[in-house]
Amino acid sequence: MKCKQCFQEISNYFDGDLDEALKQELMQHLKDCHKCQVVFDTTRTTLDLYCDGKLYPLPDDVRSRLRQALERRRHEPMMT
Ligand SMILES: [Zn+2]
């Protein structure tokens, strides 16, 4: 899995619509890639703060802002 795809899957992961095989691939990539790990952790922390650790569905505006943030990062030149 490439970082670009990883970013996309991270967003899907937190949406809760990642299938088991992709989840495995994502976790594998995160183990090997510190960059994506940071993105993953940042995203999770953001969501944890927002949700107070509970599993609430994200309001659409929060979700789309999150997607936009991930999208922007995907286009950063350092990402290959
Ligand atoms: Zn990566």
Side-chain angles (χ1 to χ4, degrees):
M1 187 182 282
K2 295 246 171 31
C3 291
K4 276 185 188 177
Q5 196 202 343
C6 184
F7 277 31
Q8 182 61 45
E9 302 308 346
I10 285 174
S11 140
N12 289 335
Y13 177 86
F14 286 110
D15 273 352
D17 51 47
L18 203 57
D19 70 38
E20 201 53 43
L22 266 176
K23 207 186 287 184
Q24 294 299 325
E25 273 189 66
L26 178 65
M27 292 305 149
Q28 191 58 47
H29 181 91
L30 289 176
K31 242 190 279 176
D32 299 337
C33 181
H34 181 69
K35 229 159 36 179
C36 289
Q37 216 173 69
V38 171
V39 174
F40 185 85
D41 283 345
T42 309
T43 308
R44 186 173 51 193
T45 305
T46 307
L47 293 179
D48 279 354
L49 284 176
Y50 181 81
C51 301
D52 196 28
K54 299 188 193 76
L55 280 175
Y56 288 124
L58 281 178
D60 283 346
D61 65 320
V62 175
R63 184 178 300 211
S64 62
R65 259 182 294 162
L66 191 66
R67 274 191 187 279
Q68 277 163 18
L70 287 168
E71 193 68 25
R72 271 199 303 276
R73 288 210 190 209
R74 270 205 295 167
H75 294 298
E76 280 173 18
M78 62 181 278
M79 289 298 167
T80 48

